[in-house]
């Protein structure tokens, strides 16, 4: 099993900053949502950063070496998790930071594939190791993290049953859908599909397999596909599913999809804050017992 995980937290959080008409959000919640990275929004009865809960689950699943990809000028993550560039001690975890730098001719980060590429450039040891990758705004379960960190899989991702996620169809379409072969190996993956494309991704049982952006990679194999990942023609970002699909095209049967059926707490918009608070109250009644 690998003990390294890379958390992507360098995005612009544009959906979180949109206006809301929901009446159950406090002015403090709104202020934090408009000014902080999603992972640092304080949630739950203890008002801890959302990322605390993901880090807690990561530790319970046996990971100790954590890299957090943050914005090029971000000062809040170091204020919370350690001022050193690398190997900050935080509740038994070693936390290092990656700065996702924005090209001079752009006004925002270049996406998830670029984030992972910059991590591997700044920490070259990752090119010769195995690691997990996930978002900072999803609370993946310990069960999910353990299932993915299986030593028999070099490259893998979790394929969530869309019905188990308990999301509206509109939200499902913001993620990536997958096609698998009979052995649950990845054949195709499509980021943010159009409504007309969804039906093409249902399997023989009519299920949709959704990627929630949690992967296991062999660093040496994925690296060139991150480096050479093209910009999406509309979104102008280098997206991790594109790099993954290009790798599968060159190396068929190289990526295993691990089926899973469970809800994933997602902190994408202001409306999600109350849902997160309710979930944490239920699932962590005694707080975080590090």
């Amino acid at each position: 099993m690998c003990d390294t995980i890379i958390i992507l937290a360098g995005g612009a959080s544009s959906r979180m900053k949109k206006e809301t008409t929901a009446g159950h959000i406090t002015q403090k919640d709104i202020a934090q949502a408009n000014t902080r990275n999603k992972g640092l929004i304080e949630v739950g009865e203890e008002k801890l950063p959302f990322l605390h809960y993901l880090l807690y689950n990561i530790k319970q699943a046996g990971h100790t070496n954590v890299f957090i990809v943050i914005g090029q000028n971000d000062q809040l993550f170091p204020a919370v998790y350690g001022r050193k560039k690398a190997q900050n001690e935080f509740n038994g975890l070693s936390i290092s930071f990656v700065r996702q730098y924005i090209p001079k001719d752009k006004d925002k980060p270049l996406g998830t594939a670029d984030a992972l590429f910059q991590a591997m450039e700044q920490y070259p040891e990752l090119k010769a190791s195995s690691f997990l990758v996930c978002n900072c705004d999803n609370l993946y379960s310990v069960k999910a993290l353990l299932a993915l960190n299986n030593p028999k899989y070099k490259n893998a991702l979790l394929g969530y049953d869309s019905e188990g996620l308990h999301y509206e169809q509109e939200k499902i379409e913001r993620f990536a859908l997958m096609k698998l072969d009979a052995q649950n190996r990845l054949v195709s993956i499509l980021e943010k599909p159009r409504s007309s494309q969804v039906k093409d991704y249902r399997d023989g049982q009519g299920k949709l397999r959704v990627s929630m952006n949690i992967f296991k990679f062999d660093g040496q194999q994925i690296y060139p596909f991150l480096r050479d990942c093209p910009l999406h023609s509309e979104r102008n970002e280098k997206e991790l599913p594109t790099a993954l699909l290009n790798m599968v095209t060159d190396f068929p049967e190289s990526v295993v999809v691990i089926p899973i059926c469970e809800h994933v707490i997602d902190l994408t918009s202001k409306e999600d804050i109350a849902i997160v608070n309710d979930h944490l109250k239920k699932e962590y009644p005694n707080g975080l017992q590090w």
Side-chain angles (χ1 to χ4, degrees):
M1 295 178 68
C2 65
D3 71 345
T4 298
I5 187 164
I6 301 171
I7 302 174
L8 306 180
S13 303
S14 55
R15 287 199 295 272
M16 180 60 75
K17 293 178 173 60
K18 289 183 177 179
E19 293 295 326
T20 180
T21 57
H24 53 264
I25 301 176
T26 68
Q27 288 302 308
K28 182 179 179 180
D29 288 339
I30 292 173
Q32 289 199 18
N34 287 337
T35 58
R36 293 189 174 198
N37 180 282
K38 289 178 284 188
L40 294 179
I41 295 173
E42 295 174 350
V43 292
E45 293 187 340
E46 296 180 87
K47 295 300 178 185
L48 297 174
F50 181 76
L51 184 56
H52 271 41
Y53 292 89
L54 175 57
L55 290 171
Y56 179 80
N57 285 0
I58 284 170
K59 183 180 178 182
Q60 301 309 305
H63 299 279
T64 57
N65 193 27
V66 180
F67 294 84
I68 306 177
V69 182
I70 62 177
Q72 63 180 19
N73 299 315
D74 189 290
Q75 298 302 320
L76 287 178
F77 277 102
V80 175
Y81 296 111
R83 295 291 186 180
K84 296 187 297 181
K85 180 180 186 294
Q87 298 181 341
N88 295 279
E89 196 284 328
F90 179 78
N91 289 312
L93 299 171
S94 175
I95 295 183
S96 301
F97 295 109
V98 176
R99 294 283 179 180
Q100 186 175 10
Y101 294 101
I102 300 173
K104 292 181 179 179
D105 60 338
K106 304 293 182 182
D107 59 1
K108 67 174 185 176
L110 280 190
T112 52
D114 176 69
L116 184 52
F117 172 71
Q118 292 203 39
M120 298 179 76
E121 288 289 280
Q122 292 174 37
Y123 295 89
E125 64 269 22
L126 293 171
K127 299 176 186 178
S129 64
S130 178
F131 50 80
L132 270 62
V133 181
C134 70
N135 286 349
C136 76
D137 56 353
N138 294 130
L139 183 54
Y140 308 99
S141 71
V142 175
K143 172 187 171 182
L145 291 160
L146 288 171
L148 186 57
N149 193 13
N150 188 319
K152 69 180 181 181
Y153 305 136
K154 285 182 64 176
N155 301 289
L157 72 161
L158 296 180
Y160 286 87
D161 183 337
S162 63
E163 295 179 3
L165 288 171
H166 303 302
Y167 293 147
E168 298 293 331
Q169 185 67 27
E170 180 183 358
K171 190 160 187 171
I172 293 293
E173 293 172 10
R174 296 180 194 150
F175 301 118
L177 299 182
M178 295 176 283
K179 288 183 182 178
L180 322 180
D181 67 13
Q183 286 73 45
N184 285 340
R185 291 172 299 211
L186 184 67
V187 174
S188 179
I189 183 167
L190 180 64
E191 179 87 350
K192 298 180 177 68
R194 296 188 297 271
S195 297
S196 61
Q197 296 173 302
V198 171
K199 64 180 185 303
D200 298 327
Y201 279 78
R202 292 194 180 275
D203 64 17
Q205 288 74 47
K207 291 186 178 297
L208 291 173
R209 287 292 169 187
V210 179
S211 168
M212 295 297 293
N213 257 27
I214 178 167
F215 312 88
K216 180 182 180 182
F217 288 125
D218 174 78
Q220 184 176 18
Q221 191 166 23
I222 189 62
Y223 175 78
F225 298 96
L226 300 170
R227 180 193 61 208
D228 301 334
C229 185
L231 286 168
H232 189 277
S233 59
E234 297 175 4
R235 293 187 286 274
N236 204 32
E237 292 184 348
K238 296 183 178 184
E239 298 176 335
L240 200 43
T242 301
L244 182 61
L245 180 58
N246 289 342
M247 186 173 80
V248 169
T249 300
D250 283 8
F251 296 97
E253 304 179 359
S254 61
V255 179
V256 174
V257 179
I258 303 168
I260 188 169
C261 184
E262 65 179 23
H263 183 46
V264 180
I265 284 295
D266 174 63
L267 186 59
T268 297
S269 66
K270 292 182 175 73
E271 289 77 10
D272 294 326
I273 294 174
I275 298 172
V276 169
N277 288 335
D278 289 342
H279 175 84
L280 296 179
K281 185 176 182 179
K282 175 183 177 182
E283 297 298 324
Y284 301 87
N286 300 314
L288 299 182
Q289 306 297 314
W290 294 97

